[in-house]
Amino acid sequence: MPKPITVLRDTHPLPVLDACKWEKLEGDPHTVNLNAYTSEDGSKIMGTWICTPGKWYVEYVKWEYCHFQEGYCVITPEGMAPIHLRAGDIFVVEPGMKGTWEVVETVRKYFVFA
């Protein structure tokens, strides 16, 4: 049984480089994942994601909470208008969202996948 509370105050996540499985469409974007927590069954992940400029095709299979700490990107869900996101923005991406994710200025975001 998992612990009822996990305190992450002293975590030291190891950087994982270019682990992104999305299809690159433009530029030469590179990513760094700093996963601070992964549930025992692997279904929940939280941490920090950093990405340099470029464009990806994305297909979400999980729910994601995002809090942008730095940067600027444009997410364009298929059949919808582009959504411009900047440092300070908080948003949720629902499972099933397909479209493009363009990093215009290097992004640093805090994320939770569930």
Side-chain angles (χ1 to χ4, degrees):
M1 176 169 183
K3 298 184 288 186
I5 296 175
T6 301
V7 178
L8 302 172
R9 181 179 305 121
D10 297 321
T11 60
H12 300 286
L14 296 175
V16 179
L17 305 178
D18 293 323
C20 189
K21 296 176 183 170
W22 294 339
E23 176 190 353
K24 291 181 185 181
L25 297 176
E26 294 176 11
D28 188 26
H30 292 280
T31 63
V32 177
N33 281 55
L34 300 165
N35 295 344
Y37 171 83
T38 302
S39 63
E40 287 184 17
D41 66 1
S43 67
K44 297 171 188 73
I45 302 169
M46 62 161 279
T48 300
W49 183 75
I50 302 164
C51 184
T52 61
K55 189 173 187 178
W56 308 85
Y57 177 76
V58 299
E59 291 187 47
Y60 273 75
V61 295
K62 289 187 168 191
W63 175 94
E64 182 183 18
Y65 163 92
C66 300
H67 180 185
F68 269 27
Q69 298 164 331
E70 297 174 12
Y72 167 53
C73 82
V74 180
I75 298 175
T76 307
E78 288 181 347
M80 297 181 68
I83 300 166
H84 297 260
L85 298 157
R86 299 180 190 288
D89 285 341
I90 297 171
F91 59 98
V92 170
V93 181
E94 297 291 342
M97 195 288 285
K98 296 178 183 179
T100 59
W101 182 303
E102 181 179 5
V103 174
V104 179
E105 297 172 3
T106 297
V107 164
R108 181 183 186 96
K109 72 173 181 174
Y110 172 78
F111 70 89
V112 178
F113 274 109

